[in-house]
Amino acid sequence: MYQVINPATGELVAEYPDATDAEISDAVDRSHRAYLSWRETPIAERARLVKRAAEIFAERTDELAAIITREMGKRIDESKGELQTVVSIFTYYAENGPTLAGDETLAIQGGNAVIQKRPIGSLIGIMPWNYPYYQVARFAAPNLVLGNTIILKHARNCPESAAAIESVLHDAGIPADAYINVYASASQIASMLADPRVQGVSLTGSERAGSAVAMEAGRNLKKVVLELGGSDPLVLLDSSDLDKTVEVAVAARMGNNGQACNAPKRMIVMDDIYDEFVKKLTGQMSAFEPGDPADPSTTLAPLSSQAAADELVEQIADAVAKGATLHTGGTHIDGPGAYVAPAVLTGVTKDMHAYYGELFGPAVVVYRAASEEEAIELANDTVYGLGSGVFSADPERARRVGERIDAGMVYINAAGGSQADLPFGGIKRSGVGRELGALGMEEFMNKKIVRL
């Protein structure tokens, strides 16, 4: 079953049955047949319908935001903020997609050639629960404009938002079979990837899920894009206003209650400001108060599920048992719901899960660095390589250090973030491929060479 369980109360709200094998087979057939006509629809018309979808997302913001607050516990103001980002993504590709997909002329020896940018077919999207609308938007918007069709399998705890997205797109005029929501199982994903009519898959989720999907995609020679975990470093070299820097760091870490792949989970601070930074950070992390995520005054929401809360508490307890210092939080909060008090850890060493693992929730690990070299070494000592942030009153110093960080994204005097026109993605175990911006439209594109 796909289930809506309100993580603020533990209440089972609704259940949705898994799709049958026959329904999955039918979805693949419908999606392929829709592609044959959708690709022939003029790109200006496809873009117009995607622009209309952006307008409907904006019109239904309150309704759609309430759904994900109920499904995965996001604070209502952040839920509405997520919808604003979704609107910007659909608008960006509607307005820029026709140009991004335009033919490109090449001057070659002995003549000329043209790169024709064309769709490739029916695609599968496998999406996570932490940003139920945003994650779908950055996959669906560029591919619908390009002319691909989509079969979307959402997270098991987001069936209501999954259905709502499908409703918005269909109400915008996008053909029903050009975007199909399915409540599929893992084995059914494998069967779809084996179908020759399916041309690729995009997954945002865990390393384990990414490895499994990549294996199936490789076995069937299908294009794959993976956006997986992260343990992003925030390197603090110096600060002209430490209070402000701490505020920025806390806001970045606690966005979506710490359940963001590109949030700064490791803060690496130079020795001369380390003690003061930890003190101020601990004070701000201790100030969050749990409450109903549907109440705009709430500052601390629940995690997405009780299982997620239990896992985070166990990870923190493992570090403390092995010698780490817990400055605040790290425990369940009494009462119903999947609430965990925000935690600050120091003294984390390589024998602890918190060193190499991803803490997916309201917890941050702080490291002391005696030099730029040590800071860079700590930043790169991870199996992940998604994003990073480098802070300094001297932007050139921050840029110089940032150039040596192994990551798909480096932010100077900022931590994380996402915008429609800026490519997003990582290296190492954080995945392969890019989403958003011009690069996001090229992942499932046939760059056909026509020799003149």
Side-chain angles (χ1 to χ4, degrees):
M1 283 286 184
Y2 281 66
Q3 296 180 321
V4 178
I5 299 177
N6 188 334
T9 63
E11 173 194 6
L12 174 62
V13 178
E15 292 184 323
Y16 295 72
D18 283 5
T20 65
D21 290 345
E23 288 170 334
I24 294 297
S25 178
D26 181 60
V28 172
D29 183 61
R30 289 161 46 208
S31 182
H32 175 67
R33 283 189 282 109
Y35 166 69
L36 298 178
S37 59
W38 183 239
R39 69 179 180 182
E40 301 301 328
T41 302
I43 192 169
E45 174 63 8
R46 297 196 299 259
R48 185 187 71 80
L49 297 177
V50 167
K51 181 64 177 294
R52 178 56 188 146
E55 295 168 352
I56 297 176
F57 275 116
E59 293 164 4
R60 299 180 186 175
T61 289
D62 289 348
E63 170 193 341
L64 296 172
I67 291 173
I68 58 174
T69 291
R70 181 169 58 249
E71 278 185 327
M72 52 73 61
K74 193 188 301 284
R75 292 192 302 112
I76 190 63
D77 59 335
E78 291 189 314
S79 295
K80 292 179 180 180
E82 181 176 336
L83 265 302
Q84 292 177 353
T85 304
V86 167
V87 171
S88 72
I89 292 170
F90 273 85
T91 300
Y92 169 78
Y93 283 110
E95 295 178 349
N96 297 281
T99 299
L100 296 175
D103 292 353
E104 180 180 343
T105 301
L106 292 179
I108 61 173
Q109 293 181 357
N112 293 286
V114 172
I115 300 176
Q116 294 182 339
K117 300 177 182 180
R118 300 293 186 263
I120 62 173
S122 178
L123 308 174
I124 299 172
I126 305 172
M127 297 295 129
W129 49 262
N130 57 335
Y131 291 93
Y133 300 123
Y134 160 73
Q135 302 283 5
V136 174
R138 64 189 196 179
F139 168 61
N143 282 299
L144 287 171
V145 172
L146 182 60
N148 294 318
T149 55
I150 293 169
I151 303 171
L152 200 290
K153 179 247 182 286
H154 219 313
R156 283 191 170 271
N157 58 333
C158 294
E160 191 175 357
S161 55
I165 295 166
E166 184 182 52
S167 178
V168 167
L169 297 180
H170 292 172
D171 289 349
I174 293 169
D177 291 343
Y179 182 97
I180 302 172
N181 175 60
V182 293
Y183 298 125
S185 66
S187 62
Q188 289 170 332
I189 293 294
S191 70
M192 284 193 283
L193 282 173
D195 193 299
R197 295 170 295 181
V198 171
Q199 299 302 315
V201 58
S202 177
L203 176 141
T204 299
S206 68
E207 290 177 72
R208 185 174 69 174
S211 295
V213 167
M215 182 174 67
E216 291 297 333
R219 178 180 291 122
N220 293 286
L221 298 178
K222 302 297 172 68
K223 176 66 188 290
V224 61
V225 170
L226 303 174
E227 199 273 279
L228 308 178
S231 187
D232 289 11
L234 183 157
V235 179
L236 178 55
L237 301 171
D238 58 70
S239 176
S240 58
D241 186 346
L242 192 59
D243 287 328
K244 180 63 176 178
T245 302
V246 172
E247 287 181 13
V248 171
V250 170
R253 182 66 191 104
M254 290 298 292
N256 205 31
N257 201 17
Q259 299 168 118
C261 53
N262 64 327
K265 302 178 178 75
R266 299 177 297 135
M267 298 187 183
I268 301 164
V269 184
M270 300 302 288
D271 184 73
D272 59 333
I273 55 175
Y274 173 87
D275 291 330
E276 188 178 2
F277 178 86
V278 171
K279 180 180 178 180
K280 292 178 181 294
L281 177 70
T282 300
Q284 290 198 26
M285 292 288 280
S286 302
F288 287 85
E289 292 289 339
D292 181 357
D295 182 344
S297 67
T298 292
T299 58
L300 181 67
L303 274 76
S304 63
S305 67
Q306 191 59 52
D310 292 344
E311 181 179 7
L312 180 64
V313 169
E314 289 171 6
Q315 290 171 331
I316 294 168
D318 169 77
V320 173
K322 293 176 180 176
T325 298
L326 179 62
H327 295 260
T328 187
T331 59
H332 291 290
I333 295 176
D334 291 339
Y339 291 87
V340 174
V344 175
L345 282 167
T346 60
V348 170
T349 55
K350 295 185 178 184
D351 60 327
M352 304 171 189
H353 179 277
Y355 189 90
Y356 286 118
E358 180 178 21
L359 299 180
F360 211 64
V364 60
V365 179
V366 188
Y367 297 92
R368 184 193 300 266
S371 65
E372 287 185 10
E373 283 297 323
E374 185 179 6
I376 294 167
E377 183 179 346
L378 281 166
N380 289 336
D381 191 15
T382 174
V383 299
Y384 298 107
L386 189 55
S388 58
V390 184
F391 285 74
S392 172
D394 179 357
E396 287 304 317
R397 183 188 186 194
R399 189 175 295 111
R400 184 181 69 247
V401 170
E403 287 177 355
R404 297 180 60 193
I405 293 178
D406 299 330
M409 302 174 288
V410 178
Y411 290 80
I412 304 301
N413 286 326
S418 177
Q419 61 190 67
D421 56 355
L422 187 66
F424 185 105
I427 60 173
K428 299 194 282 189
R429 296 192 69 84
S430 287
V432 295
R434 293 294 183 269
E435 295 180 294
L436 299 178
L439 300 184
M441 196 169 203
E442 295 179 2
E443 291 290 349
F444 295 102
M445 175 187 285
N446 176 16
K447 298 175 185 176
K448 185 192 297 184
I449 301 298
V450 180
R451 175 70 157 83
L452 305 177

